[in-house]
Amino acid sequence: MRRTGGTESRETKGAETDEGFGWGMKMLSAEVHLQKMCNRNFIPQNVRSHILPSKNTEQVVLSAMADDATRRAVSEIPLLKTNSGPRDKELWVQRLREEYLALIKYVENNKTADNDWFRLESNKEGTRWFGKCWYIHDLLKYEFDMEFDIPVTYPSTAPEVAIPELDGKTAKMYRGGKICLTDHFKPLWARNVPKFGLAHLMALGLGPWLAVEIPDLISKGLITHREQQGS
């Protein structure tokens, strides 16, 4: 079975280490808070990996939800620099360029690792995105249409990815098929504005969601493979 998602901190060329004392204290505070939650069993045993101070150029704070494979994959996604959304006109064009470059790099890396699992494209303005994602389970490929809009407050606000055909089939989903990422993804996104982009949304948001929810839905008989539907 293939895994989806990804991130691991590592030192890269041109590292900028001027984040300051205040940033370091915030990271330490977050690490202490997470350890307390682990000790009180608020975080499941299988996700109790510690938060490591990032060594890459932008001091990315990594999520305790990410496994080693995920951290490795995300560490190779280019970080974004332009802090602008659709309302910023000219700056939005620059942001879109960075988004596409990061997505292309992530997809290329996935193909190299034999873990290709999604395709994305957008409208001309780059405000509405759509495509397909898939998950391999017991050597069968389960494919789904996905879509999302770029919030007007992007990148401060992460997009909400929807898989309409799964609407109503899992509690980890809002009305309209929007997947629920609030507990583990949104705090991570908020700490990394504007460095995280759509490639990170796929790697740290949609990917882990598919890895948890699709096998569960299959085991409950709520989704079936197309070949089984025809039999």
Side-chain angles (χ1 to χ4, degrees):
M1 181 180 70
R2 297 179 185 173
R3 293 186 178 181
T4 56
T7 153
E8 177 179 332
S9 324
R10 64 176 64 174
E11 190 171 9
T12 60
K13 293 182 179 180
E16 298 174 2
T17 57
D18 57 347
E19 293 295 324
F21 179 78
W23 175 254
M25 291 302 294
K26 289 180 181 179
M27 291 178 63
L28 177 60
S29 176
E31 186 172 354
V32 171
H33 177 65
L34 178 64
Q35 185 60 54
K36 288 181 179 179
M37 292 179 69
C38 290
N39 293 340
R40 296 175 185 175
N41 295 321
F42 289 157
I43 296 179
Q45 183 68 37
N46 64 331
V47 295
R48 293 183 188 181
S49 56
H50 61 284
I51 293 179
L52 296 174
S54 176
K55 295 180 181 179
N56 67 15
T57 59
E58 299 294 337
Q59 295 288 328
V60 178
V61 178
L62 299 181
S63 170
M65 300 295 295
D67 59 19
D68 290 340
T70 300
R71 287 194 291 269
R72 280 195 298 272
V74 174
S75 71
E76 297 174 353
I77 298 175
L79 297 173
L80 287 74
K81 297 180 180 179
T82 305
N83 191 1
S84 64
R87 294 180 297 185
D88 295 331
K89 303 299 182 182
E90 292 183 4
L91 287 177
W92 176 236
V93 174
Q94 175 61 29
R95 174 76 186 196
L96 275 178
R97 180 177 179 275
E98 295 175 12
E99 295 281 5
Y100 275 114
L101 290 175
L103 281 167
I104 290 170
K105 179 63 175 176
Y106 182 43
V107 170
E108 289 177 346
N109 291 343
N110 285 342
K111 289 181 177 180
T112 300
D114 194 26
N115 189 31
D116 193 26
W117 64 275
F118 75 92
R119 288 292 181 272
L120 266 181
E121 57 182 306
S122 73
N123 62 3
K124 181 179 179 181
E125 296 77 18
T127 55
R128 181 165 181 76
W129 293 73
F130 44 90
K132 293 185 179 294
C133 59
W134 52 90
Y135 188 82
I136 307 298
H137 183 76
D138 290 341
L139 303 181
L140 295 177
K141 181 179 179 181
Y142 294 80
E143 187 173 277
F144 311 95
D145 291 330
M146 64 170 167
E147 61 188 32
F148 58 87
D149 294 321
I150 299 294
V152 293
T153 53
Y154 186 82
S156 296
T157 303
E160 295 182 316
V161 180
I163 305 178
E165 65 187 278
L166 298 183
D167 188 16
K169 293 187 177 183
T170 170
K172 300 295 181 65
M173 183 169 275
Y174 301 115
R175 180 175 299 180
K178 293 181 179 179
I179 64 176
C180 179
L181 301 174
T182 303
D183 291 343
H184 69 279
F185 177 76
K186 288 188 177 180
L188 177 63
W189 181 279
R191 290 196 296 268
N192 290 284
V193 174
K195 299 178 288 292
F196 277 8
L198 301 183
H200 298 87
L201 174 66
M202 296 292 102
L204 290 168
L206 179 59
W209 189 93
L210 292 172
V212 172
E213 294 301 316
I214 298 308
D216 183 60
L217 291 173
I218 294 171
S219 68
K220 294 176 179 177
L222 295 175
I223 58 176
T224 57
H225 194 263
R226 288 182 174 85
E227 292 180 359
Q228 296 172 334
Q229 292 174 353
S231 60

